[in-house]
Amino acid sequence: MITTVINRHSEFRTCFDSEGRLGYWDSLSPSFTIFHDDDKTFSSIWTLYGDEFNEFYSCYLDDMKMYGSVKQFAAKANEPPNTVPIRGMKSRQYKQTN
């Protein structure tokens, strides 16, 4: 859902090409940080963006099943250049704020 909002705004999809010209991607795909609780390490996977949520979610679940336990920095290889990092934190309890 976050990527859908991002993809609705060309200003969020801007980048420079290899010749330094400013442009924007037709769409961005999300990349995710996966936390491995058993050894406290992280990996990154990505899922190709799709306009249809159920289709995208099915692809995401397939990627998680296939790459979620791979313990490499880039668990799913060949990440395209038009990805956007989507990060989340597990629930945290804070005792105080500064």
Side-chain angles (χ1 to χ4, degrees), residues 31-49:
S31 67
F32 310 94
T33 298
I34 305 302
F35 181 68
H36 305 289
D37 199 38
D38 59 338
D39 64 358
K40 311 297 189 238
T41 61
F42 293 90
S43 296
S44 179
I45 66 167
W46 56 275
T47 299
L48 195 62
Y49 176 75

Side-chain angles (χ1 to χ4, degrees), residues 1-89:
M1 297 174 90
I2 293 169
T3 312
T4 298
V5 173
I6 291 169
N7 280 325
R8 288 181 184 157
H9 301 275
S10 61
E11 60 271 22
F12 294 148
R13 296 180 275 120
T14 58
C15 76
F16 291 97
D17 68 11
S18 60
E19 296 178 15
R21 296 175 298 198
L22 182 62
Y24 62 91
W25 295 104
D26 292 332
S27 69
L28 297 176
S29 293
S31 67
F32 310 94
T33 298
I34 305 302
F35 181 68
H36 305 289
D37 199 38
D38 59 338
D39 64 358
K40 311 297 189 238
T41 61
F42 293 90
S43 296
S44 179
I45 66 167
W46 56 275
T47 299
L48 195 62
Y49 176 75
D51 290 327
E52 169 55 44
F53 177 77
N54 290 330
E55 182 180 320
F56 167 77
Y57 188 60
S58 177
C59 291
Y60 164 77
L61 291 176
D62 289 345
D63 284 341
M64 286 298 294
K65 183 177 181 180
M66 182 171 269
Y67 303 104
S69 62
V70 175
K71 295 185 179 169
Q72 298 176 174
F73 177 73
K76 183 179 178 183
N78 302 315
E79 183 172 332
N82 61 323
T83 57
V84 59
I86 306 296
R87 304 294 180 247
M89 294 178 63

